[in-house]
Amino acid sequence: MPSASLPRSLRVGYGIGSFGAGTFNTVPGLLLLYYMTNALGVPAGLAGLAVFLPKAWDLFINPYVGRLSDRTVSRHGARRPYILAGGILLPPAFVLTFAGSPVTGAPAALYVGGCFFLAATAFALFEVPYKAMPAEMTDDYHEQSALLTWRIGFLGLAILLSGGLAPALVNIDGGEPTFAGYRLMALVIGLVLLVAMVGTFFGTGEAPQIRRSEAEHVGLRGQLAAARGNRPFLLLVALSAMQMLAAGIMLAGAPYFASYVLENTSAVTTLFLALIGPMVVLMPAWVRVSRRFDKRASMAVSSLLFMVGGMGLGLTQTFGSLYAHVCVMVMGVGYAGIQLLQLSMLADTLIYDELRSGKRRAGVFTGLWTAIETVMLALGALVLGWILAAAGFISSEPDEPVAQPDSAIDAIVIGGALAPAILMSVAIVCTLRYDLTGDRLTDLRKTRSDAVPDTP
Protein backbone atom coordinates (compact mmCIF):
# COMPACT_ATOMS: atom_id res chain seq x y z
CA MET A 1 0.00 0.00 0.00
CA PRO A 2 1.25 3.53 -0.69
CA SER A 3 2.58 5.44 2.28
CA ALA A 4 0.51 8.14 3.94
CA SER A 5 1.25 11.74 3.08
CA LEU A 6 4.16 13.17 5.03
CA PRO A 7 3.44 16.09 7.37
CA ARG A 8 4.40 19.55 6.19
CA SER A 9 6.81 20.06 9.10
CA LEU A 10 8.80 17.03 7.98
CA ARG A 11 8.82 18.14 4.36
CA VAL A 12 10.20 21.50 5.47
CA GLY A 13 12.69 19.87 7.83
CA TYR A 14 13.99 17.67 5.03
CA GLY A 15 13.82 20.35 2.35
CA ILE A 16 15.95 22.86 4.24
CA GLY A 17 18.96 20.63 3.72
CA SER A 18 18.92 21.54 0.06
CA PHE A 19 19.55 25.13 1.11
CA GLY A 20 23.00 24.02 2.24
CA ALA A 21 23.54 21.68 -0.70
CA GLY A 22 22.39 24.26 -3.23
CA THR A 23 24.59 26.94 -1.69
CA PHE A 24 27.71 24.77 -1.70
CA ASN A 25 27.15 23.55 -5.25
CA THR A 26 26.46 27.08 -6.48
CA VAL A 27 29.06 29.36 -4.93
CA PRO A 28 32.26 27.41 -5.76
CA GLY A 29 30.84 26.53 -9.17
CA LEU A 30 30.13 30.20 -9.80
CA LEU A 31 33.15 31.92 -8.24
CA LEU A 32 36.02 29.51 -7.59
CA LEU A 33 37.46 29.41 -11.13
CA TYR A 34 37.10 33.18 -11.52
CA TYR A 35 38.59 33.72 -8.04
CA MET A 36 41.73 31.85 -9.01
CA THR A 37 42.19 33.32 -12.50
CA ASN A 38 41.24 36.92 -11.69
CA ALA A 39 42.32 37.29 -8.04
CA LEU A 40 45.17 34.83 -7.48
CA GLY A 41 46.70 34.93 -10.97
CA VAL A 42 46.37 31.17 -11.50
CA PRO A 43 46.53 30.12 -15.19
CA ALA A 44 43.06 29.13 -16.44
CA GLY A 45 43.92 25.52 -17.26
CA LEU A 46 45.55 24.93 -13.87
CA ALA A 47 42.67 26.66 -12.09
CA GLY A 48 40.25 24.29 -13.80
CA LEU A 49 42.24 21.33 -12.45
CA ALA A 50 42.18 22.78 -8.93
CA VAL A 51 38.38 22.88 -9.10
CA PHE A 52 37.99 19.48 -10.74
CA LEU A 53 40.39 17.19 -8.86
CA PRO A 54 38.85 17.63 -5.37
CA LYS A 55 35.49 16.76 -6.89
CA ALA A 56 36.95 13.77 -8.73
CA TRP A 57 37.66 12.43 -5.23
CA ASP A 58 33.87 12.10 -4.94
CA LEU A 59 34.08 9.05 -7.20
CA PHE A 60 35.76 7.25 -4.30
CA ILE A 61 34.45 8.91 -1.13
CA ASN A 62 30.76 9.13 -2.10
CA PRO A 63 30.24 5.39 -2.77
CA TYR A 64 32.10 4.65 0.48
CA VAL A 65 29.82 7.00 2.44
CA GLY A 66 26.82 5.38 0.75
CA ARG A 67 27.90 1.88 1.79
CA LEU A 68 28.71 3.06 5.30
CA SER A 69 25.35 4.74 5.82
CA ASP A 70 23.52 1.68 4.46
CA ARG A 71 25.10 -0.42 7.21
CA THR A 72 24.83 2.09 10.05
CA VAL A 73 22.48 1.42 12.96
CA SER A 74 22.05 4.20 15.51
CA ARG A 75 19.38 5.86 17.62
CA HIS A 76 19.41 8.69 15.08
CA GLY A 77 18.81 6.37 12.13
CA ALA A 78 21.15 5.26 9.38
CA ARG A 79 21.60 8.58 7.59
CA ARG A 80 21.31 11.40 10.10
CA PRO A 81 24.65 10.98 11.95
CA TYR A 82 26.51 11.63 8.70
CA ILE A 83 24.29 14.58 7.89
CA LEU A 84 25.29 16.13 11.23
CA ALA A 85 28.99 15.42 10.72
CA GLY A 86 29.00 16.96 7.24
CA GLY A 87 27.06 19.99 8.46
CA ILE A 88 29.65 20.70 11.16
CA LEU A 89 32.79 20.06 9.09
CA LEU A 90 31.91 21.75 5.79
CA PRO A 91 31.59 25.44 6.82
CA PRO A 92 35.18 25.94 8.13
CA ALA A 93 36.63 24.17 5.09
CA PHE A 94 34.57 26.41 2.81
CA VAL A 95 35.78 29.55 4.59
CA LEU A 96 39.42 28.47 4.20
CA THR A 97 38.90 27.93 0.47
CA PHE A 98 38.01 31.59 -0.15
CA ALA A 99 39.87 33.26 2.75
CA GLY A 100 42.79 34.23 0.54
CA SER A 101 45.88 32.24 -0.36
CA PRO A 102 49.25 33.27 1.14
CA VAL A 103 50.71 32.76 -2.35
CA THR A 104 49.65 33.53 -5.91
CA GLY A 105 50.03 31.86 -9.28
CA ALA A 106 50.55 28.10 -9.51
CA PRO A 107 51.22 27.60 -5.75
CA ALA A 108 47.84 29.20 -5.01
CA ALA A 109 46.15 26.49 -7.05
CA LEU A 110 47.65 23.87 -4.71
CA TYR A 111 46.51 25.75 -1.58
CA VAL A 112 42.97 26.42 -2.79
CA GLY A 113 42.66 22.90 -4.21
CA GLY A 114 43.66 21.40 -0.85
CA CYS A 115 41.08 23.43 1.07
CA PHE A 116 38.42 22.59 -1.51
CA PHE A 117 39.33 18.90 -1.16
CA LEU A 118 38.49 19.07 2.57
CA ALA A 119 35.22 20.85 1.80
CA ALA A 120 34.27 18.26 -0.84
CA THR A 121 34.91 15.42 1.61
CA ALA A 122 32.71 17.02 4.27
CA PHE A 123 30.00 17.64 1.71
CA ALA A 124 29.99 13.96 0.74
CA LEU A 125 29.23 13.04 4.37
CA PHE A 126 26.12 15.22 4.16
CA GLU A 127 24.88 14.87 0.62
CA VAL A 128 24.96 11.11 0.04
CA PRO A 129 22.82 10.14 3.06
CA TYR A 130 20.60 13.17 2.46
CA LYS A 131 19.69 12.01 -1.03
CA ALA A 132 19.06 8.46 0.15
CA MET A 133 16.41 9.54 2.67
CA PRO A 134 13.35 10.16 0.40
CA ALA A 135 13.17 6.54 -0.75
CA GLU A 136 13.10 5.51 2.92
CA MET A 137 10.52 8.10 3.99
CA THR A 138 7.84 7.15 1.44
CA ASP A 139 7.43 4.63 -1.38
CA ASP A 140 4.51 6.38 -3.08
CA TYR A 141 5.36 7.43 -6.66
CA HIS A 142 3.72 10.90 -6.48
CA GLU A 143 4.47 11.53 -2.80
CA GLN A 144 8.11 11.41 -3.88
CA SER A 145 7.48 14.40 -6.14
CA ALA A 146 5.52 16.22 -3.43
CA LEU A 147 8.33 15.73 -0.90
CA LEU A 148 10.95 16.77 -3.40
CA THR A 149 8.96 19.87 -4.31
CA TRP A 150 9.89 21.27 -0.92
CA ARG A 151 13.48 20.26 -1.41
CA ILE A 152 13.67 21.88 -4.84
CA GLY A 153 11.87 24.96 -3.56
CA PHE A 154 14.57 25.41 -0.93
CA LEU A 155 17.20 24.53 -3.51
CA GLY A 156 15.93 27.22 -5.84
CA LEU A 157 15.81 29.74 -3.02
CA ALA A 158 19.35 28.79 -1.97
CA ILE A 159 20.73 29.17 -5.48
CA LEU A 160 18.81 32.42 -5.93
CA LEU A 161 20.11 33.95 -2.71
CA SER A 162 23.64 32.53 -2.76
CA GLY A 163 24.06 33.16 -6.48
CA GLY A 164 22.99 36.76 -5.97
CA LEU A 165 24.46 37.41 -2.54
CA ALA A 166 27.90 35.86 -2.99
CA PRO A 167 28.90 37.99 -6.02
CA ALA A 168 27.43 41.08 -4.33
CA LEU A 169 29.56 40.48 -1.23
CA VAL A 170 32.65 39.88 -3.34
CA ASN A 171 31.97 43.19 -5.14
CA ILE A 172 31.10 44.98 -1.88
CA ASP A 173 33.22 48.01 -2.83
CA GLY A 174 31.37 48.47 -6.11
CA GLY A 175 34.35 47.76 -8.35
CA GLU A 176 36.37 44.70 -9.20
CA PRO A 177 36.29 41.83 -6.67
CA THR A 178 38.68 42.23 -3.74
CA PHE A 179 40.24 39.84 -1.24
CA ALA A 180 38.28 41.52 1.56
CA GLY A 181 35.10 40.88 -0.40
CA TYR A 182 35.96 37.21 -0.89
CA ARG A 183 36.63 36.81 2.85
CA LEU A 184 33.36 38.47 3.79
CA MET A 185 31.50 36.26 1.35
CA ALA A 186 33.16 33.14 2.75
CA LEU A 187 32.16 33.95 6.33
CA VAL A 188 28.54 34.77 5.46
CA ILE A 189 28.06 31.74 3.22
CA GLY A 190 29.81 29.51 5.76
CA LEU A 191 27.26 30.55 8.38
CA VAL A 192 24.41 29.80 5.97
CA LEU A 193 25.84 26.33 5.35
CA LEU A 194 26.10 25.62 9.07
CA VAL A 195 22.52 26.65 9.88
CA ALA A 196 20.91 24.86 6.92
CA MET A 197 22.80 21.58 7.15
CA VAL A 198 22.74 21.14 10.92
CA GLY A 199 19.10 22.25 10.82
CA THR A 200 18.35 19.29 8.58
CA PHE A 201 19.57 16.90 11.25
CA PHE A 202 17.08 18.29 13.75
CA GLY A 203 14.31 18.79 11.16
CA THR A 204 14.26 15.11 10.20
CA GLY A 205 14.26 13.73 13.74
CA GLU A 206 10.73 12.36 13.30
CA ALA A 207 11.18 11.05 9.75
CA PRO A 208 9.47 7.68 9.19
CA GLN A 209 11.49 4.81 7.80
CA ILE A 210 9.65 2.36 5.58
CA ARG A 211 10.44 -1.21 6.49
CA ARG A 212 13.25 -2.28 4.20
CA SER A 213 15.27 -5.40 3.69
CA GLU A 214 18.65 -5.64 5.36
CA ALA A 215 21.37 -3.53 3.84
CA GLU A 216 23.65 -5.35 1.46
CA HIS A 217 27.37 -5.25 2.30
CA VAL A 218 29.16 -4.67 -0.99
CA GLY A 219 32.40 -3.16 -2.17
CA LEU A 220 32.93 -0.80 -5.06
CA ARG A 221 32.88 -3.64 -7.59
CA GLY A 222 29.57 -4.84 -6.17
CA GLN A 223 28.19 -1.29 -6.32
CA LEU A 224 29.05 -1.01 -9.98
CA ALA A 225 27.50 -4.42 -10.65
CA ALA A 226 24.32 -3.32 -8.89
CA ALA A 227 24.19 -0.18 -11.01
CA ARG A 228 24.67 -2.17 -14.23
CA GLY A 229 21.66 -4.27 -13.28
CA ASN A 230 19.42 -1.21 -12.92
CA ARG A 231 18.81 0.03 -16.47
CA PRO A 232 16.59 2.99 -15.48
CA PHE A 233 19.31 4.16 -13.09
CA LEU A 234 21.98 3.96 -15.81
CA LEU A 235 19.85 5.94 -18.24
CA LEU A 236 19.08 8.52 -15.57
CA VAL A 237 22.80 8.82 -14.78
CA ALA A 238 23.58 9.34 -18.47
CA LEU A 239 21.02 12.06 -19.04
CA SER A 240 21.74 13.83 -15.74
CA ALA A 241 25.49 13.71 -16.38
CA MET A 242 25.00 15.69 -19.58
CA GLN A 243 22.70 18.10 -17.77
CA MET A 244 25.13 18.61 -14.90
CA LEU A 245 28.07 19.12 -17.24
CA ALA A 246 26.04 21.74 -19.12
CA ALA A 247 25.10 23.43 -15.85
CA GLY A 248 28.70 23.30 -14.61
CA ILE A 249 30.06 24.98 -17.73
CA MET A 250 27.34 27.63 -17.64
CA LEU A 251 27.85 28.29 -13.92
CA ALA A 252 31.63 28.64 -14.19
CA GLY A 253 31.22 30.84 -17.25
CA ALA A 254 28.72 33.28 -15.71
CA PRO A 255 31.25 35.72 -14.15
CA TYR A 256 33.29 35.76 -17.36
CA PHE A 257 30.14 36.28 -19.44
CA ALA A 258 29.08 39.20 -17.23
CA SER A 259 32.54 40.79 -17.14
CA TYR A 260 33.68 40.37 -20.74
CA VAL A 261 30.54 39.94 -22.89
CA LEU A 262 28.05 42.16 -21.03
CA GLU A 263 30.97 44.27 -19.69
CA ASN A 264 29.27 44.58 -16.31
CA THR A 265 30.59 42.53 -13.36
CA SER A 266 27.37 43.16 -11.41
CA ALA A 267 25.33 41.48 -14.16
CA VAL A 268 26.22 38.07 -12.74
CA THR A 269 23.65 38.76 -10.00
CA THR A 270 20.83 39.69 -12.39
CA LEU A 271 21.64 36.75 -14.63
CA PHE A 272 21.27 34.49 -11.63
CA LEU A 273 17.94 36.05 -10.73
CA ALA A 274 16.76 35.33 -14.28
CA LEU A 275 17.96 31.70 -14.10
CA ILE A 276 16.80 30.73 -10.63
CA GLY A 277 13.69 32.89 -10.25
CA PRO A 278 11.62 30.43 -12.34
CA MET A 279 12.79 27.57 -10.11
CA VAL A 280 11.23 29.18 -7.05
CA VAL A 281 8.00 30.17 -8.82
CA LEU A 282 7.35 27.25 -11.17
CA MET A 283 8.15 24.21 -9.05
CA PRO A 284 4.47 23.43 -8.25
CA ALA A 285 3.67 23.79 -11.93
CA TRP A 286 6.34 21.24 -12.86
CA VAL A 287 4.88 18.80 -10.33
CA ARG A 288 1.49 19.11 -12.03
CA VAL A 289 3.08 18.69 -15.46
CA SER A 290 4.90 15.53 -14.36
CA ARG A 291 1.66 14.08 -12.97
CA ARG A 292 -0.21 14.78 -16.19
CA PHE A 293 2.41 13.77 -18.74
CA ASP A 294 4.70 11.56 -16.60
CA LYS A 295 8.26 12.32 -15.70
CA ARG A 296 10.05 11.29 -18.89
CA ALA A 297 8.08 13.64 -21.16
CA SER A 298 8.38 16.43 -18.61
CA MET A 299 12.15 15.94 -18.43
CA ALA A 300 12.45 16.08 -22.23
CA VAL A 301 10.52 19.38 -22.32
CA SER A 302 12.65 20.81 -19.48
CA SER A 303 15.86 19.96 -21.32
CA LEU A 304 14.52 21.38 -24.57
CA LEU A 305 13.75 24.73 -22.93
CA PHE A 306 17.25 24.88 -21.45
CA MET A 307 18.77 24.03 -24.84
CA VAL A 308 16.76 26.68 -26.73
CA GLY A 309 17.68 29.35 -24.19
CA GLY A 310 21.36 28.43 -24.40
CA MET A 311 21.40 28.57 -28.19
CA GLY A 312 19.75 31.97 -28.08
CA LEU A 313 22.30 33.21 -25.53
CA GLY A 314 25.02 32.73 -28.12
CA LEU A 315 23.64 35.78 -29.98
CA THR A 316 24.06 38.16 -27.02
CA GLN A 317 26.76 40.23 -28.72
CA THR A 318 24.24 41.06 -31.45
CA PHE A 319 21.12 41.72 -29.35
CA GLY A 320 22.47 42.97 -26.03
CA SER A 321 22.00 42.58 -22.30
CA LEU A 322 18.18 42.54 -22.05
CA TYR A 323 18.00 39.83 -24.69
CA ALA A 324 20.59 37.79 -22.76
CA HIS A 325 18.49 37.97 -19.60
CA VAL A 326 15.39 36.78 -21.46
CA CYS A 327 17.33 33.80 -22.84
CA VAL A 328 18.61 32.93 -19.37
CA MET A 329 15.04 33.12 -18.04
CA VAL A 330 13.96 30.55 -20.65
CA MET A 331 16.84 28.36 -19.49
CA GLY A 332 15.64 28.87 -15.91
CA VAL A 333 12.17 27.56 -16.70
CA GLY A 334 13.74 24.38 -18.05
CA TYR A 335 16.27 24.17 -15.22
CA ALA A 336 13.46 24.21 -12.65
CA GLY A 337 11.97 21.09 -14.19
CA ILE A 338 15.36 19.40 -14.53
CA GLN A 339 16.18 19.86 -10.85
CA LEU A 340 12.84 18.50 -9.64
CA LEU A 341 12.63 15.60 -12.05
CA GLN A 342 16.19 14.38 -11.57
CA LEU A 343 15.63 13.82 -7.87
CA SER A 344 12.14 12.42 -8.25
CA MET A 345 13.30 9.96 -10.92
CA LEU A 346 16.30 9.00 -8.77
CA ALA A 347 13.96 8.03 -5.92
CA ASP A 348 11.95 5.93 -8.39
CA THR A 349 15.06 4.03 -9.49
CA LEU A 350 15.93 3.28 -5.85
CA ILE A 351 12.48 1.82 -5.23
CA TYR A 352 12.70 -0.07 -8.53
CA ASP A 353 15.98 -1.66 -7.45
CA GLU A 354 14.65 -2.81 -4.10
CA LEU A 355 11.45 -4.21 -5.61
CA ARG A 356 13.52 -6.26 -8.06
CA SER A 357 16.42 -7.29 -5.81
CA GLY A 358 14.85 -7.35 -2.36
CA LYS A 359 17.98 -5.60 -1.04
CA ARG A 360 18.33 -2.25 0.75
CA ARG A 361 21.07 -0.36 -1.04
CA ALA A 362 19.76 3.17 -1.53
CA GLY A 363 23.07 4.49 -0.20
CA VAL A 364 24.92 2.47 -2.84
CA PHE A 365 23.04 4.16 -5.65
CA THR A 366 22.94 7.65 -4.16
CA GLY A 367 26.68 7.40 -3.50
CA LEU A 368 27.35 6.66 -7.15
CA TRP A 369 24.79 9.23 -8.26
CA THR A 370 26.14 12.03 -6.09
CA ALA A 371 29.72 11.27 -7.10
CA ILE A 372 28.89 11.48 -10.79
CA GLU A 373 26.75 14.58 -10.30
CA THR A 374 29.41 16.55 -8.43
CA VAL A 375 32.21 15.38 -10.72
CA MET A 376 30.30 16.49 -13.80
CA LEU A 377 29.59 19.90 -12.26
CA ALA A 378 33.29 20.32 -11.49
CA LEU A 379 34.23 18.98 -14.92
CA GLY A 380 32.35 21.96 -16.32
CA ALA A 381 34.88 24.30 -14.70
CA LEU A 382 37.75 22.19 -16.03
CA VAL A 383 36.36 22.17 -19.56
CA LEU A 384 35.77 25.93 -19.49
CA GLY A 385 39.23 26.55 -18.04
CA TRP A 386 40.84 24.57 -20.85
CA ILE A 387 38.72 26.34 -23.47
CA LEU A 388 39.82 29.71 -22.07
CA ALA A 389 43.46 28.63 -21.89
CA ALA A 390 43.39 27.41 -25.50
CA ALA A 391 41.85 30.72 -26.58
CA GLY A 392 44.59 32.77 -24.93
CA PHE A 393 42.76 34.02 -21.82
CA ILE A 394 45.12 36.10 -19.64
CA SER A 395 44.96 35.54 -15.86
CA SER A 396 45.40 38.55 -13.57
CA GLU A 397 45.20 39.97 -10.04
CA PRO A 398 42.70 42.61 -8.79
CA ASP A 399 45.17 45.52 -8.91
CA GLU A 400 46.46 44.57 -12.37
CA PRO A 401 43.47 44.04 -14.73
CA VAL A 402 44.24 43.10 -18.33
CA ALA A 403 42.46 43.37 -21.67
CA GLN A 404 41.47 40.00 -23.11
CA PRO A 405 42.04 39.06 -26.78
CA ASP A 406 39.01 38.66 -29.04
CA SER A 407 39.62 34.91 -29.17
CA ALA A 408 39.09 34.70 -25.39
CA ILE A 409 35.80 36.63 -25.63
CA ASP A 410 34.59 34.28 -28.36
CA ALA A 411 35.57 31.30 -26.20
CA ILE A 412 33.49 32.66 -23.32
CA VAL A 413 30.43 32.83 -25.58
CA ILE A 414 31.00 29.38 -27.06
CA GLY A 415 31.87 27.74 -23.75
CA GLY A 416 29.31 29.51 -21.59
CA ALA A 417 26.30 29.34 -23.92
CA LEU A 418 26.55 27.09 -26.97
CA ALA A 419 28.39 24.13 -25.39
CA PRO A 420 25.72 23.68 -22.67
CA ALA A 421 23.00 23.75 -25.33
CA ILE A 422 24.72 20.99 -27.31
CA LEU A 423 25.13 18.86 -24.19
CA MET A 424 21.45 19.28 -23.38
CA SER A 425 20.51 17.86 -26.78
CA VAL A 426 22.40 14.67 -25.84
CA ALA A 427 20.48 14.56 -22.55
CA ILE A 428 17.19 14.66 -24.48
CA VAL A 429 18.20 11.58 -26.49
CA CYS A 430 18.97 9.71 -23.25
CA THR A 431 15.68 10.84 -21.72
CA LEU A 432 13.64 9.38 -24.55
CA ARG A 433 15.09 5.93 -23.75
CA TYR A 434 14.13 6.09 -20.06
CA ASP A 435 11.08 3.91 -19.43
CA LEU A 436 10.43 3.69 -15.67
CA THR A 437 6.85 4.92 -15.16
CA GLY A 438 4.45 5.01 -12.24
CA ASP A 439 2.43 2.14 -13.72
CA ARG A 440 5.54 0.00 -14.02
CA LEU A 441 6.45 0.57 -10.37
CA THR A 442 2.89 -0.26 -9.32
CA ASP A 443 3.02 -3.54 -11.23
CA LEU A 444 6.37 -4.44 -9.66
CA ARG A 445 5.10 -3.62 -6.21
CA LYS A 446 2.03 -5.82 -6.73
CA THR A 447 4.13 -8.68 -8.09
CA ARG A 448 6.48 -8.52 -5.11
CA SER A 449 3.66 -8.36 -2.56
CA ASP A 450 2.04 -11.41 -4.18
CA ALA A 451 5.31 -13.34 -4.21
CA VAL A 452 6.41 -12.44 -0.67
CA PRO A 453 3.45 -12.05 1.68
CA ASP A 454 3.83 -9.80 4.70
CA THR A 455 4.97 -11.53 7.88
CA PRO A 456 3.95 -10.54 11.40
Side-chain angles (χ1 to χ4, degrees), residues 18 47 49 64 69 95 122 135 137 161 195 199 207 231 238 243 276 289 302 319 341 351 354 359 378 390 434-435 452:
S18 65
L49 278 174
Y64 174 75
S69 68
V95 172
M137 293 165 66
L161 293 180
V195 171
R231 184 175 181 273
Q243 291 169 338
I276 305 304
V289 169
S302 299
F319 296 106
L341 292 162
I351 296 170
E354 184 162 345
K359 299 171 183 176
Y434 180 88
D435 59 356
V452 184

Side-chain angles (χ1 to χ4, degrees), residues 331-352:
M331 298 174 76
V333 174
Y335 194 54
I338 287 170
Q339 289 289 312
L340 170 70
L341 292 162
Q342 275 189 359
L343 297 174
S344 184
M345 292 162 75
L346 172 62
D348 294 339
T349 65
L350 301 183
I351 296 170
Y352 171 81

Side-chain angles (χ1 to χ4, degrees), residues 142-159:
H142 292 299
E143 182 65 21
Q144 295 280 357
S145 293
L147 173 63
L148 292 171
T149 297
W150 285 90
R151 181 186 172 185
I152 299 301
F154 277 111
L155 179 66
L157 187 60
I159 298 175

Side-chain angles (χ1 to χ4, degrees), residues 11 140-147 149 284-295 298 341:
R11 294 180 184 182
D140 182 78
Y141 183 74
H142 292 299
E143 182 65 21
Q144 295 280 357
S145 293
L147 173 63
T149 297
W286 276 115
V287 173
R288 291 194 294 270
V289 169
S290 68
R291 286 176 181 265
R292 181 175 178 83
F293 300 104
D294 210 74
K295 298 175 185 179
S298 302
L341 292 162

